[in-house]
Amino acid sequence: MNDRVETQDVARLGTRWPQTLTRVPYWVYQDEAVYRAEQQRVFEGPVWNFLCLEQEIAAVGDFRSTFLGGMPVVVARDSDGEIYAFENRCVHRGALIVLEDEGNAKDFQCVYHAWTYDRQGSLKGIAFKDGVNGKGGMPQGFCMEKHGPRKLRVECVHGLVFGSLSDEVPPLEEYIGEEVLAKMERVLRRPVEVIGRFTQALPNNWKMYTENVRDTYHASLLHLFFTKFGITRLDQGGGVVVSESGGNHATASIVEKVIPRQEAYAGQGFRSQETEFRLRDPSILDTHEEFGDNIGLQILSVFPGFVLQQIRNCVAVRQVLPRSVTATDLNWTYLGFAGDTPEMRKVRLKQANMIGPAGYVSMEDGAVGGFVQRGIATAGELDSLIELGGENAGSENFRATECSVRGFWKAYRAAMGF
């Protein structure tokens, strides 16, 4: 399908979206034209995409392979100390330029035909450019400076590297917003160290997961572990911060030293109230207060696909990457901080068992998106209902609300032109 026809199709779909943020049509998770348009309008559009950590490319020549939506990308630190990012695509025949996940390199050479690129993504060498024995080669006047992979704008904040293909997106800190940025700084005010990483395959559209991380409603209902051990419940103190655009958010809950009787949950028949659930080793709950504010859980997102989590002493960043209409990759990177004691590092690693594909908590998040994807299989013309807490898509001083989910759809609709 060409771009013009696709644009018409997406515009047609947009007219079918109810004019409210409290309703989201299920076709938005199912339509191939929407998925293709998202690559151009969202991920390649005027947004900032998380790429990697500065610490991962700390030395001159360090690089990492990553993605901007579906686009493969290389991020590298050049000899000037600056970070550059460019499309991981040889301009000759389209092969990947870099095959490794990470490393250190003076330059990059495509394995297919040995075309060479510098660490800023500029084409610097062509094998047999002048031919062999005076015959063949590239045409006279071929200008390498005019040919190269697409280059990204790069900006960093609190050790996080973001990239954008757009010249229109505002500076990164302005894009994130002052309130959300302050919540980010709260967690990342010290130099980080990578202590683990993995990729989780999700059987659902990428937007289901990005909704989920903004959804304070489900956390103490779906996750038995959270409620049973008082990590987060809707009757705890806390609130939700949502940026003006709607796309960025942070939610937090306050630690209570003694788990209360949970009257708000008692007698409701919630799964999360199952009383026989016990821990053989409860030391996973041992927490060191390191942020000075008694916030036991903070989840923060930046539109479209970045997540920063602090669950007790377990800190991680997540990168949401669409793979198809019904498949998503979720890249997790566990973080420690420079200066962590051996005891603290042990606590972080132990608490990492709460998250991930088999985590006490996020195993359920990895499954529930698939339940939704399967549940809506024949409901493309119907809508989901997102009315908890009203119609607001802004900040609230409580968490029994779906305001940040509505905020995501506010940003998404703006990006897509719906």
Side-chain angles (χ1 to χ4, degrees):
M1 181 182 294
N2 63 46
D3 288 343
R4 182 179 60 83
V5 175
E6 182 171 303
T7 298
Q8 290 175 346
D9 275 6
V10 173
R12 172 182 54 80
L13 288 169
T15 64
R16 293 162 48 202
W17 194 311
Q19 295 304 302
T20 173
L21 294 175
T22 66
R23 297 292 185 274
V24 176
Y26 289 129
W27 51 255
V28 80
Y29 309 101
Q30 300 171 321
D31 192 275
E32 289 282 354
V34 168
Y35 178 78
R36 289 192 294 270
E38 286 169 351
Q39 297 299 318
Q40 297 175 355
R41 300 186 183 195
V42 178
F43 295 98
E44 298 176 21
V47 304
W48 285 103
N49 296 269
F50 172 69
L51 300 178
C52 67
L53 300 162
E54 285 192 79
Q55 187 269 343
E56 295 175 292
I57 48 172
V60 170
D62 284 354
F63 69 87
R64 279 198 62 81
S65 298
T66 183
F67 289 87
L68 185 153
M71 177 189 293
V73 169
V74 178
V75 190
R77 191 179 293 274
D78 205 1
S79 53
D80 60 1
E82 297 296 321
I83 296 172
Y84 298 87
F86 55 93
E87 185 180 15
N88 191 2
R89 174 188 59 85
C90 181
V91 295
H92 177 219
R93 299 283 290 280
L96 291 172
I97 300 169
V98 177
L99 303 179
E100 299 85 359
D101 291 336
E102 60 185 351
N104 187 279
K106 181 179 179 181
D107 52 34
F108 304 104
Q109 190 173 88
C110 175
V111 69
Y112 198 0
H113 297 97
W115 285 35
T116 302
Y117 301 82
D118 65 19
R119 291 185 294 229
Q120 298 184 25
S122 299
L123 179 61
K124 293 299 182 183
I126 296 175
F128 302 121
K129 178 178 178 292
D130 298 321
V132 178
N133 297 326
K135 297 180 180 180
M138 298 298 288
Q140 283 288 331
F142 180 83
C143 181
M144 288 192 290
E145 289 76 12
K146 293 182 179 180
H147 298 272
R150 286 175 282 185
K151 296 183 179 182
L152 283 61
R153 286 176 60 189
V154 174
E155 290 191 22
C156 303
V157 62
H158 300 309
L160 306 170
V161 181
F162 287 79
S164 180
L165 282 172
S166 172
D167 293 327
E168 300 175 2
V169 65
L172 178 59
E173 293 191 8
E174 179 183 338
Y175 177 86
I176 295 173
E178 184 177 346
E179 288 187 284
V180 176
L181 196 65
K183 302 295 186 181
M184 182 182 288
E185 182 181 17
R186 170 190 167 271
V187 177
L188 299 177
R189 61 178 183 261
R190 292 174 287 164
V192 301
E193 296 177 350
V194 175
I195 61 175
R197 67 171 87 247
F198 58 86
T199 297
Q200 181 178 3
L202 303 177
N204 50 264
N205 188 274
W206 69 276
K207 297 184 292 297
M208 290 179 184
Y209 188 80
T210 54
E211 282 184 299
N212 184 76
V213 298
R214 293 163 169 83
D215 177 8
T216 58
Y217 188 20
H218 84 281
S220 60
L221 299 172
L222 174 66
H223 302 311
L224 183 153
F225 192 92
F226 271 171
T227 309
K228 178 69 178 179
F229 299 108
I231 294 174
T232 184
R233 305 182 322 278
L234 288 180
D235 56 356
Q236 287 176 317
V240 184
V241 170
V242 183
S243 67
E244 184 177 354
S245 70
N248 314 320
H249 102 292
T251 183
S253 61
I254 307 299
V255 170
E256 293 167 330
K257 299 302 181 183
V258 178
I259 301 175
R261 294 177 58 188
Q262 306 178 16
E263 285 85 354
Y265 290 78
Q268 300 290 331
F270 297 151
R271 171 183 176 275
S272 57
Q273 289 302 106
E274 294 179 10
T275 57
E276 70 275 11
F277 188 64
R278 297 288 186 275
L279 284 171
R280 180 171 295 179
D281 178 9
S283 67
I284 191 174
L285 301 173
D286 294 343
T287 302
H288 295 243
E289 173 55 53
E290 60 178 323
F291 299 104
D293 52 16
N294 271 346
I295 292 177
L297 177 147
Q298 178 180 286
I299 303 294
L300 180 152
S301 69
V302 176
F303 184 85
F306 170 76
V307 182
L308 168 66
Q309 69 150 65
Q310 174 242 324
I311 303 176
R312 298 293 176 95
N313 300 116
C314 182
V315 178
V317 294
R318 314 175 197 170
Q319 181 188 34
V320 183
L321 297 175
R323 289 299 180 228
S324 72
V325 172
T326 58
T328 302
D329 277 354
L330 182 60
N331 291 336
W332 298 75
T333 304
Y334 293 107
L335 302 179
F337 295 103
D340 277 353
T341 64
E343 180 187 17
M344 178 60 91
R345 190 58 54 89
K346 183 177 180 180
V347 168
R348 294 194 200 284
L349 291 172
K350 183 173 286 189
Q351 291 183 358
N353 287 290
M354 288 192 287
I355 64 170
Y360 294 140
V361 179
S362 56
M363 173 178 64
E364 297 151 341
D365 285 332
V368 74
F371 299 161
V372 177
Q373 197 77 52
R374 290 155 57 190
I376 66 172
T378 60
E381 297 305 311
L382 302 177
D383 306 325
S384 67
L385 188 153
I386 311 176
E387 288 190 3
L388 194 73
E391 299 185 359
N392 179 36
S395 301
E396 300 282 14
N397 61 2
F398 56 90
R399 291 178 298 119
T401 176
E402 293 170 309
C403 61
S404 50
V405 180
R406 292 188 289 269
F408 170 80
W409 290 112
K410 176 183 176 181
Y412 178 86
R413 289 180 61 156
M416 291 289 286
F418 285 153

